[in-house]
Every structure is written in C-alpha cells, then in structure tokens.
Amino acid sequence: MFDQLREDIGSIYDRDPAARTGFEILTTYPGLHAVLAHRLTHTLWVHELKLLARVLSNVARLFTGIEIHPGAQIGRRFFIDHGMGVVIGETAVVGDDCTLYHGVTLGGTSWQPGKRHPTLGRDVVVGAGAKVLGPITIGDGARIGSNAVVVKTVPAGATVVGVPGRIIERERDADQRRRADTAARIGFDAYGATVDAPDPVANAINRMLDHIHHMDSRMEAMSQALEAKGIMTHFDHDADLDAVVIDSPNPEPLKPNPSH
C-alpha cells in the first residue's frame, strides 16, 4: 500500500511542475484523495458491500469534487489534475499512467445493463472538459483535446479534437518518429510540428529537422571512414546538449585612445 502511495506521489511530481513536496501533494491534491478513496470503495464494491461503497464514494465526491463510481477499474499511477467536475462511470476502465484534467466525463450513452462506459489504455491524456462516452476503447498513448466529445474508438497514439471528436494526428510514421528523435536530441519541442497542421512554420521546422538528420548521417559516415583510416577516433553525438558549454574568449579591455 505504501509503495503504491509513493508511486502515486512520484507520478504527480513527474506530471505537475507546481508540485513541490510530498507532504504538499498528500495533503492538498484532491485528485490523489479521490484515487485513494476509490481504492477503498472499490474493495468494498467487489466484496458486495455496495451500499457502503456508494455512501463513501459520495462523501469523497463532497470533499474532492470528483465522482468515481466504486465499480470503475483504475490502474496504477493515475493522476487527476485539479479534478473538479471529473465523473467516471461504473463500467469505465482506466489503464496505468493515465492523466485526466478537470471537467472530464467518462460516461455512458445507454441505460442498458452491461458495459456502458469507455476503456482507456495506458498513458492516455484527456484534456479539460472532454467527454468520452459509450463502451469505446481509447488506445495506448492517445491524446484527447480539451472539450472534445469522443463517441468512437480511438487508435493507439492518435490525437483527437473537436465536437464530434476527429483524429488530427495518427500514430507517427517513420519520418515523424525520426524528426521527433532529432528534435529531442537538440532540445527542441516538436509537439506542434506535425505534417497534419497546415502551417508554413511547422513545414519549415520539419524540413530543418530533416536537413539536420541528413547532415548527422553524413557526419557519421565521415567519422567512421576517418577512424578506419586511423586519422581520428569515431565520435558519438552529445547526449545532453544543455550540458555543453562553449567558452568564449575574454577580449582584452579597450585601451583609451590618447588622441580622443
């Protein structure tokens, strides 16, 4: 239990830059309180103490503003940021490492018994105010934009926005993955530089990343050829460019001109 609590606190540190100390997270984060309460109510639910589970679930909602039905299945390292207005239905399933923001609903579209709520895979992010409705599946690593309304299954790695939700970015192909790797290596956030965005700036950045990759490949080949000839030792790319410092020479102070 304590290992899982430490895991929860660590995941909040990783995803919330406003988090400062473990004690602050433990005492002031309603998303964590709601998850801890749900673990208790879910245990009661599966042991057929359903009325007590519902009562405690409503008490938790009163204090946190987050409603998680005791029957919902929640994975590890689940983070609800801010949390007010989040609703998770009875048959919802949330995978490990998922993140939900305030106002999110994992709801149903039918009054029929059985599976009525969505299933989220691993590492899914659902933006503020989004509604994910019905017995659909959201694939691993998918991203749901703020205020989107999603009523159809979303493939792994896709990004969905709008009402109704539509896919604007599918799982990255080889070119996109290469660009993302190159951008990460040089310390650039390429999140907005997608081929689906009709943006001349994004297109220029993509071309720049392709050029950097091409130059890297040529330098790699030259380095290996020089090493084979015994001229120099093969070099690797710098793992962390932020740690690389270029020392600038200290110029000599200007001497006063006596003619002035």
Side-chain angles (χ1 to χ4, degrees):
M1 180 179 70
F2 290 106
D3 289 341
Q4 193 168 21
L5 179 59
R6 281 194 293 267
E7 196 175 60
D8 290 332
I9 292 174
S11 70
I12 294 173
Y13 266 126
D14 293 339
R15 286 178 255 178
D16 186 2
R20 294 180 296 180
T21 67
F23 182 75
E24 179 186 59
I25 293 172
L26 186 61
T27 55
T28 65
Y29 274 63
L32 177 61
H33 301 158
V35 171
L36 295 177
H38 172 74
R39 289 184 185 143
L40 171 61
T41 60
H42 183 70
T43 299
L44 296 173
W45 183 267
V46 298
H47 286 85
E48 299 300 325
L49 298 172
K50 297 188 175 182
L51 177 59
L52 179 58
R54 291 301 303 272
V55 171
L56 293 178
S57 176
N58 276 275
V59 171
R61 182 183 66 170
L62 176 66
F63 284 100
T64 65
I66 297 167
E67 180 176 342
I68 307 177
H69 193 284
Q73 300 177 45
I74 305 297
R76 300 176 72 92
R77 299 174 297 277
F78 175 49
F79 178 38
I80 304 175
D81 198 1
H82 301 294
M84 182 63 69
V86 167
V87 177
I88 301 177
E90 177 185 2
T91 61
V93 178
V94 179
D96 296 342
D97 301 301
C98 289
T99 303
L100 269 58
Y101 290 87
H102 51 282
V104 167
T105 299
L106 305 183
T109 56
S110 170
W111 290 348
Q112 300 299 320
K115 177 67 171 170
R116 308 184 307 280
H117 301 92
T119 296
L120 274 57
R122 296 174 57 93
D123 191 33
V124 173
V125 177
V126 184
K131 315 301 177 188
V132 185
L133 307 175
I136 61 177
T137 299
I138 308 300
D140 294 350
R143 300 293 184 262
I144 309 298
S146 296
N147 296 314
V149 178
V150 182
V151 294
K152 295 181 180 180
T153 290
V154 176
T159 300
V160 178
V161 299
V163 182
R166 64 188 186 280
I167 297 173
I168 62 165
E169 182 180 355
R170 295 187 178 273
E171 186 174 13
R172 292 177 174 177
D173 59 20
D175 287 342
Q176 289 176 290
R177 287 194 295 270
R178 189 194 65 234
R179 288 167 179 165
D181 291 342
T182 302
R185 188 174 58 78
I186 65 175
F188 173 72
D189 181 4
Y191 179 78
T194 67
V195 293
D196 297 303
D199 182 354
V201 175
N203 183 57
I205 291 172
N206 281 331
R207 290 176 179 271
M208 179 187 70
L209 293 172
D210 288 341
H211 179 69
I212 292 172
H213 172 74
H214 179 66
M215 294 300 297
D216 281 347
S217 298
R218 297 190 67 180
M219 288 293 293
E220 183 78 13
M222 290 172 60
S223 172
Q224 292 177 355
L226 291 171
E227 183 181 43
K229 297 292 185 180
I231 299 174
M232 63 172 287
T233 302
H234 174 63
F235 64 88
D236 294 320
H237 294 299
D238 292 311
D240 182 9
L241 291 183
D242 291 335
V244 177
V245 177
I246 300 176
D247 295 326
S248 58
N250 294 322
E252 294 183 1
L254 294 176
K255 296 179 180 179
N257 190 335
S259 64
H260 289 173

